[in-house]
Amino acid sequence: MTLPQRRDSAARKRYRRTFMQHRPPCHICGEPIDWEADHLDPRSLVVDHIVPVSRGGTHDRSNVAAAHRACNLAKGNGEGDGAKLRRSGSLQRRR
């Protein structure tokens, strides 16, 4: 029996810095990420594992991408089929 990989917070911080420099859109929905949002905001940046660690994914750069917090939560630990999620408008900021 193989043990699952542990979270690598140092790597996650490196990836966040790289994403902040290049500012890519969300790899799940394709929409821009709100780079100034609070970390709990649905439109804020999270480092998403394309193949979830729980399904054997690694912390390698080839397996991580920038995503919205809400898109990543909607994806869960599924790998998806590469299709973009459609927004229902739930990520719009309330004023």
Side-chain angles (χ1 to χ4, degrees):
M1 178 173 121
T2 60
L3 296 175
Q5 281 193 351
R6 297 184 65 151
R7 290 185 182 262
D8 187 344
S9 59
R12 186 173 44 233
K13 287 178 185 176
R14 281 194 309 275
Y15 297 141
R16 286 181 67 82
R17 280 194 301 269
T18 300
F19 294 148
M20 293 291 279
Q21 289 173 350
H22 298 286
R23 297 187 178 235
C26 173
H27 87 100
I28 298 171
C29 73
E31 295 292 320
I33 293 171
D34 185 346
W35 302 97
E36 309 304 320
D38 179 70
H39 73 284
L40 295 177
D41 188 291
R43 295 182 53 86
S44 66
L45 168 70
V46 294
V47 176
D48 178 38
H49 288 87
I50 298 166
V51 177
V53 174
S54 65
R55 293 184 174 215
T58 65
H59 297 296
D60 295 336
R61 174 64 182 106
S62 62
N63 190 45
V64 297
H68 291 117
R69 175 173 292 284
C71 292
N72 191 30
L73 288 171
K75 177 183 154 191
N77 79 338
E79 293 179 41
D81 58 1
K84 304 284 184 198
L85 291 177
R86 296 177 118 186
R87 289 245 178 99
S88 66
S90 64
L91 293 182
Q92 298 300 322
R93 285 194 167 212
R94 293 183 183 164
R95 295 186 177 173

